[in-house]
């Protein structure tokens, strides 16, 4: 409802129009509109339960959510009917708030399968467009993995561990960014990647994200707190409440939020939802 | 009837009988004591009742589909061996016959078609041969150990039938202090339609001896039902160490019964792995008698059933002396309309103090029409022991699939990865690359069927 035209003329990458989504017949998203262009970093803020994580899951194609209305286009293509793996191969990446532990699956094996399927799909798409198909060789994969692990200051032994098993909160988040670095998505959704990180880990993860960001990539940062935005500078900040974006503005909006809290914003932008306003009126 | 060199069992014998026992022994030209032992076993078989479903061990087992009276008791007796590569063509998912080994014995139907052992080991007194050869060349050893100590003839009705009709078979004897690193390989391959197969493995490790034995059972799927009853006897004297791996890949027409018992003396160590992939019906009773102090049995199992397969594993950790350890982990996956039963017993006898026993069975059910039952049991008559057991039946979690799919991995591949991961902790406990690779490929194949 309040997405303003970006200052650049870059093509829209993610176009979300009037998105409604349910889980178990309960409506969580109630008409989300958002456009993210190439090279843009958007921050999505809002109180607990406002629908931020649901938006992330719906964009990635989680099967438990049912989209009842609206459109999601990615590079001009409707992706609503696509399975999550197909979306990932098209370049959508979700960094999970709570990465899943999968026992018995080694990190290295998992990463090789993921990287092979995503990069080979990309190479095949490039070849179909008349470009060169560059499939990845195993040696190249190992070199790339070592390089990206160094970037995120991760120990070598990490590759032999089972997927997220016994990882600390910080290690899990770092592992998510490692996957992002290896898959090189064109659109990354980071769902509360800052939660559970101490200051040092936050810096390493932010540096990792900043190193990947660029003119070809769109990023949607979902966060509660301003502190992540001290490290990763957003172009746009949105406030989500009760399944809708109630306010969008430049980075100054995050500072305003820091100063007044969600309750202050709620009173200004969504008085219907504010228990304080409701109490005053009563 | 005269012994003949032509192979005509199909026209001669259907069903198990005293005549069939005599015919088998005559055609194998066995010594009289072997025939007498077979007939005694036959009499025992006839005197024992068939297991019924009121017996606890058979409560969940439906034998109505098995037509014992229509089975051919043996076939292919006169067949001679060709090359090992012809017997066990590579590239069919089986274990590679060309791998480095201390020796190999191949049983095809009722006949041994290939037997070899490293001459350097033979010079040290190691005996590795088919049972017929062992009967001729080492009768004193066979008489002493064959179905006397680990699985006695009177163990049960089907074991008595086995004692009357055993064919082929593998015998390993390792003298005191001899340690063999390379695996002894035994293969039992069934090809004759409708013919029964009674494979037998008898391993005796004298004090301080060490060995590694791999048993593989295989057949192509055929129309006509076939019956197999195997017995495995593992006898470990003081301080002996045995690694035993068994891979069952019978065709889908086979009703397979297997009874295995290991007997461990003081300080002996057994590491076993049982892999069940094939057969229409499989009932395995696998046990270790921890008879000696400070003995250790690690018992691992992997089973994967699909289609209309039924797999039933009963395990026994029998602590008969103090200070012994048993560590059992059986994992199963099920697809299609497959069914499995796991029932495990830890039994600690009076006086077996300081026993440390662990038993775990986990099952992964991959389709809504498959079913796994798991029944752990403890029976403890000592008061200073540590026994733990656990059983789970679970499904692939949607959140796991979504996570992998969100990384571009197709749903079917993601499922494969999760199932492989489910078995991985067991696979990692077998420090043999060839076995690990085989298991990984076999599991991937099963998931993809």
């Amino acid at each position: 409802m309040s997405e303003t035209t970006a200052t650049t003329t870059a093509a829209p990458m993610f176009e979300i129009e009037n998105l409604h989504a349910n889980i178990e017949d309960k409506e969580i998203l109630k008409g989300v509109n958002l456009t993210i262009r190439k090279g843009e970093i958007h921050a999505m803020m809002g109180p607990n339960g406002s629908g931020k994580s649901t938006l992330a899951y719906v964009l990635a194609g989680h099967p438990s959510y049912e989209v009842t209305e609206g459109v999601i286009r990615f590079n001009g293509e409707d992706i609503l009917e696509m399975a999550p793996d197909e979306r990932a191969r098209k370049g959508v990446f979700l960094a999970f708030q709570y990465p899943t532990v999968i026992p018995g699956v080694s990190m290295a094996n998992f990463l090789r399968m993921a990287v092979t399927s995503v990069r080979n799909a990309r190479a095949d798409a490039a070849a179909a467009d008349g470009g060169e198909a560059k499939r990845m060789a195993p040696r190249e994969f190992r070199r790339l993995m070592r390089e990206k692990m160094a970037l995120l200051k991760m120990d070598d032994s990490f590759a032999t561990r089972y997927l997220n098993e016994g990882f600390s909160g910080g290690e899990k988040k770092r592992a998510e960014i490692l996957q992002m670095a290896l898959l090189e998505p064109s659109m990354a959704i980071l769902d509360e990647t800052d939660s559970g990180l101490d200051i040092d880990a936050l810096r390493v993860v932010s540096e990792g994200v900043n190193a990947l960001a660029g003119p070809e990539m769109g990023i949607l940062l979902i966060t509660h707190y301003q502190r992540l935005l001290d490290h990763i500078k957003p172009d746009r900040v949105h406030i989500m409440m009760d399944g809708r974006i109630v306010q969008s503005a430049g980075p100054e909006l995050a500072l305003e939020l820091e100063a007044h809290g969600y309750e202050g914003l709620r009173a200004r932008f969504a008085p219907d939802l504010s228990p304080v306003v409701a109490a005053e009126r009563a | 009837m005269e012994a003949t060199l032509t192979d005509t069992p199909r026209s001669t014998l259907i069903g198990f009988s005293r005549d069939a026992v005599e015919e088998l022994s005559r055609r194998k030209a066995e010594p009289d004591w072997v025939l007498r032992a077979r007939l005694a076993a036959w009499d025992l078989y006839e005197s024992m009742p068939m297991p019924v479903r009121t017996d606890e061990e058979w409560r969940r087992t439906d034998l109505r589909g098995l037509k014992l009276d229509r089975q051919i008791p043996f076939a292919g007796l006169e067949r001679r061996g060709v090359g090992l590569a012809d017997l066990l063509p590579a590239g069919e998912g089986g274990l590679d016959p060309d791998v480095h080994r201390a020796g190999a014995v191949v049983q095809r139907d009722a006949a041994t078609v290939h037997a070899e052992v490293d001459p350097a080991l033979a010079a040290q007194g190691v005996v590795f041969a088919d049972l017929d050869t062992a009967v001729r060349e080492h009768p004193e050893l066979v008489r002493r150990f064959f179905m006397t100590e680990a699985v006695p003839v009177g163990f049960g009705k089907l074991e008595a039938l086995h004692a009357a009709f055993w064919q082929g078979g593998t015998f390993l004897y390792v003298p005191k202090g001899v340690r063999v690193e390379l695996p002894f390989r035994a293969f039992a391959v069934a090809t004759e339609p409708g013919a029964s197969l009674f494979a037998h493995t008898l391993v005796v490790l004298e004090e301080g001896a060490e060995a590694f034995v791999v048993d593989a059972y295989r057949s192509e799927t055929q129309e006509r039902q076939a019956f197999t009853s195997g017995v495995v006897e593992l006898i470990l004297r003081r301080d002996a160490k045995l690694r035993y791996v068994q891979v069952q890949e019978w065709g889908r027409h086979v009703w397979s019964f297997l009874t295995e018992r290991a007997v461990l003396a003081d300080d002996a160590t057994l590491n076993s792995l049982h892999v069940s992939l094939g057969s229409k019906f499989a009932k395995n009773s696998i046990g270790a008698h921890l008879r000696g102090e400070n003995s250790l049995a690690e018992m691992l199992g992997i089973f994967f059933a699909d289609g209309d397969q039924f797999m039933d594993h009963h395990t026994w950790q029998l602590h008969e002396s103090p200070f012994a350890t048993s560590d059992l982990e059986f994992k199963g996956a099920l697809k299609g309309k497959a069914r499995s039963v796991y029932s495990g017993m830890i039994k600690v006898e009076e006086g077996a103090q300081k026993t440390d026993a662990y038993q775990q069975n986990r099952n992964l059910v991959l389709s809504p029409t498959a079913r796994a039952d798991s029944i752990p049991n403890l029976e403890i008559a000592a008061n200073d022991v540590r026994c733990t057991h656990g059983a789970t039946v679970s499904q692939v979690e949607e959140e796991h699939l979504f996570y992998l799919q969100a990384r571009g991995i197709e749903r079917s591949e993601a499922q494969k990865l999760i199932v492989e991961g489910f078995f991985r902790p067991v696979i990692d406990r077998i420090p043999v690359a060839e076995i690990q690779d085989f298991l990984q490929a076999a599991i991937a194949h099963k998931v993809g069927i």
Side-chain angles (χ1 to χ4, degrees):
Chain A
M1 74 181 61
S2 46
E3 171 63 7
T4 52
T5 314
T7 49
T8 63
T9 53
M13 179 172 272
F14 235 134
E15 294 168 279
I16 301 160
E17 288 171 15
N18 190 32
L19 186 66
H20 291 251
N22 291 356
I23 186 162
E24 288 164 359
D25 292 331
K26 184 177 190 297
E27 186 168 57
I28 308 289
L29 299 184
K30 301 171 179 174
V32 175
N33 293 284
L34 177 66
T35 300
I36 299 175
R37 292 164 196 277
K38 271 189 182 178
E40 289 180 351
I41 299 178
H42 289 236
M44 183 70 66
M45 305 182 76
N48 278 332
S50 58
K52 305 187 302 296
S53 285
T54 295
L55 177 64
Y57 275 145
V58 169
L59 296 179
H62 195 293
S64 299
Y65 295 89
E66 185 198 358
V67 173
T68 52
E69 212 182 322
V71 180
I72 306 172
R73 273 191 297 272
F74 183 59
N75 291 325
E77 194 177 8
D78 183 350
I79 62 166
L80 267 182
E81 295 302 315
M82 287 183 192
D85 50 300
E86 200 178 348
R87 298 184 196 198
R89 289 194 296 272
K90 296 255 180 209
V92 179
F93 180 87
L94 168 62
F96 284 68
Q97 183 181 0
Y98 302 110
T100 309
V101 174
I102 306 185
V105 175
S106 81
M107 213 59 209
N109 194 17
F110 157 69
L111 290 174
R112 184 168 48 246
M113 274 185 79
V115 169
T116 309
S117 57
V118 169
R119 293 208 176 206
N120 286 352
R122 199 177 301 151
D124 293 347
D129 289 344
E132 194 189 348
K134 279 165 73 178
R135 286 173 160 257
M136 184 172 273
R139 258 180 64 185
E140 195 193 342
F141 168 74
R142 284 194 295 276
R143 185 194 56 74
L144 188 72
M145 186 168 77
R146 274 197 297 273
E147 178 194 311
K148 302 296 185 187
M149 279 168 65
L151 174 76
L152 290 157
K153 301 184 170 52
M154 299 173 92
D155 192 82
D156 280 353
S157 67
F158 171 83
T160 58
R161 292 167 69 182
Y162 293 154
L163 187 47
N164 293 325
E165 192 173 74
F167 285 24
S168 69
E171 283 177 320
K172 281 184 186 170
K173 296 304 174 77
R174 235 180 271 197
E176 293 293 291
I177 302 306
L178 172 68
Q179 292 169 40
M180 175 174 150
L182 287 168
L183 296 178
E184 293 183 348
S186 48
M187 179 70 222
I189 303 151
L190 278 62
D191 189 5
E192 307 225 6
T193 296
D194 52 332
S195 69
L197 294 185
D198 62 27
I199 291 293
D200 292 336
L202 182 66
R203 195 170 53 241
V204 171
V205 166
S206 304
E207 280 167 6
V209 173
N210 285 326
L212 298 168
E216 292 304 309
M217 190 174 179
I219 295 179
L220 178 60
L221 294 174
I222 292 171
T223 182
H224 268 291
Y225 303 109
Q226 161 67 28
R227 63 172 199 160
L228 177 65
L229 307 182
D230 292 338
H231 297 273
I232 307 172
K233 294 288 174 214
D235 298 297
R236 303 287 297 167
V237 175
H238 312 273
I239 309 289
M240 185 175 249
M241 285 185 183
D242 192 34
R244 271 183 290 259
I245 292 172
V246 297
Q247 177 69 355
S248 299
E252 69 283 358
L253 181 60
L255 296 169
E256 203 176 320
L257 178 67
E258 188 89 333
H260 301 288
Y262 284 116
E263 192 44 49
L265 291 179
R266 188 176 276 141
R268 270 180 60 195
F269 301 120
D272 298 353
L273 302 174
S274 167
V276 176
V277 173
E280 279 172 5
R281 281 179 185 165
Chain B
M1 197 179 181
E2 289 294 316
T4 144
L5 284 176
T6 53
D7 188 22
T8 56
R10 261 169 295 188
S11 57
T12 52
L13 292 163
I14 300 280
F16 300 105
S17 63
R18 194 180 176 87
D19 284 351
V21 175
E22 288 175 341
E23 170 80 1
L24 172 66
S25 189
R26 184 163 60 235
R27 285 175 62 168
K28 283 160 66 86
E30 288 177 340
D32 194 46
W33 67 269
V34 177
L35 172 62
R36 283 203 310 274
R38 286 185 184 277
L39 289 173
W42 173 257
D43 290 342
L44 204 52
Y45 168 76
E46 288 226 288
S47 73
M48 297 171 96
M50 245 341 238
V52 288
R53 293 184 85 165
T54 47
D55 302 341
E56 177 54 32
E57 212 181 327
W58 296 82
R59 209 153 67 80
R60 293 162 191 85
T61 310
D62 186 354
L63 286 180
R64 281 173 301 179
L66 175 65
K67 307 297 174 203
L68 266 186
D69 54 346
R70 289 185 215 157
Q71 306 298 326
I72 299 167
F74 55 88
L77 259 186
E78 287 75 15
R79 197 172 285 113
R80 295 282 178 270
V82 270
L84 201 55
D86 300 312
L87 293 166
L88 303 160
E92 287 182 23
L95 291 170
D96 182 0
D98 290 329
V99 79
H100 290 298
R101 58 183 178 255
V105 167
V106 182
Q107 173 178 359
R108 182 170 172 187
D109 301 313
T112 300
V113 290
H114 178 91
E116 61 168 62
V117 63
D118 180 349
L121 293 173
Q124 290 180 68
V126 173
V127 179
F128 183 63
D130 60 283
L131 264 177
D132 291 325
T133 302
V135 159
R136 281 196 311 274
E137 296 178 3
H138 304 279
E140 71 298 344
L141 290 176
V142 176
R143 286 180 103 140
R144 188 163 150 219
F145 294 111
F146 181 82
M147 296 194 84
T148 55
E149 190 171 337
V151 183
V153 177
F155 191 96
K157 189 172 177 79
L158 290 174
E159 290 79 5
L161 184 67
H162 177 99
F165 281 98
W166 67 268
Q167 313 136 9
T170 305
F171 179 57
L172 172 65
Y173 177 84
V174 183
K176 187 173 169 179
V178 176
R179 296 174 184 175
V180 186
E181 212 169 297
L182 288 174
F184 292 97
R185 313 289 302 267
F187 299 88
V189 184
T191 63
E192 287 284 344
S196 303
L197 199 140
F198 296 84
H200 193 104
T201 301
L202 173 56
V203 175
V204 180
L205 302 188
E206 293 286 11
E207 190 177 329
E210 294 184 22
F212 174 17
V213 177
V214 183
D215 258 330
Y217 306 133
R218 288 203 65 198
S219 59
E220 299 299 323
T221 296
Q222 297 175 345
E223 281 289 309
R224 185 168 168 182
Q225 184 183 84
F227 167 77
T228 160
S229 165
V231 168
V232 176
E233 301 184 277
L234 310 173
I235 297 167
L236 285 74
R237 296 306 191 211
R238 190 189 184 93
D239 203 28
K241 286 188 175 58
L242 174 66
R243 178 173 295 284
Y244 176 70
V245 174
Q246 181 189 85
V247 178
Q248 188 265 91
E249 294 182 283
W250 294 126
R252 299 308 174 86
H253 60 303
V254 174
W255 287 61
S256 168
F257 297 79
L258 180 100
T259 304
E260 172 184 318
R261 287 295 180 273
V263 179
L264 285 78
D266 290 353
D267 301 309
T269 303
L270 169 72
N271 300 92
S272 69
L273 168 69
H274 295 83
V275 182
S276 298
L277 302 169
S279 78
K280 153 87 178 100
F281 168 105
K283 188 169 183 68
N284 297 333
S285 170
I286 296 161
H289 292 272
L290 294 129
R291 213 156 267 175
E293 290 190 10
N294 206 33
S295 53
L296 167 69
E298 179 197 51
M299 302 160 75
L300 306 178
I302 284 178
F303 56 91
F304 199 147
D306 62 64
D308 65 349
Q309 286 183 301
F310 172 81
M311 291 186 184
D312 181 345
H313 290 84
H314 284 246
T315 64
W316 305 84
Q317 292 155 268
L318 303 162
H319 286 262
E320 297 163 16
S321 269
F323 305 108
T325 304
S326 62
D327 181 359
L328 178 142
E329 186 176 8
F330 268 61
K331 282 193 155 181
L334 295 104
K335 281 177 62 178
K337 292 185 196 164
R339 275 212 57 194
S340 73
V341 177
Y342 170 83
S343 174
M345 170 66 87
I346 295 175
K347 193 170 181 178
V348 182
E349 293 195 356
E350 202 181 335
Q353 302 292 19
K354 303 290 179 188
T355 285
D356 190 349
Y358 181 75
Q359 179 202 95
Q360 181 181 260
N361 167 238
R362 294 196 186 287
N363 302 283
L364 187 62
V365 178
L366 301 172
S367 87
T369 46
R371 184 177 150 187
D373 289 311
S374 185
I375 308 116
N377 299 290
L378 290 176
E379 224 179 272
I380 300 172
N383 58 13
D384 183 14
V385 301
R386 193 173 72 177
C387 296
T388 44
H389 62 182
T392 58
V393 178
S394 57
Q395 289 152 6
V396 172
E397 289 183 40
E398 198 56 51
E399 291 306 317
H400 290 186
L401 287 170
F402 175 63
Y403 186 83
L404 297 175
Q405 283 186 271
R407 298 298 177 254
I409 299 167
E410 277 182 40
R411 195 176 171 86
S412 59
E413 289 297 310
Q415 176 134 335
K416 216 175 261 188
L417 207 54
I418 290 167
V419 176
E420 209 257 330
F422 169 75
F423 286 116
R424 176 51 59 183
V426 178
I427 296 173
D428 281 346
R429 290 176 73 173
I430 324 298
V432 184
E434 186 214 356
I435 305 288
Q436 291 190 345
D437 293 347
F438 165 78
L439 289 172
Q440 198 167 325
I443 290 162
H445 177 69
K446 271 273 192 179
V447 178
I449 283 175

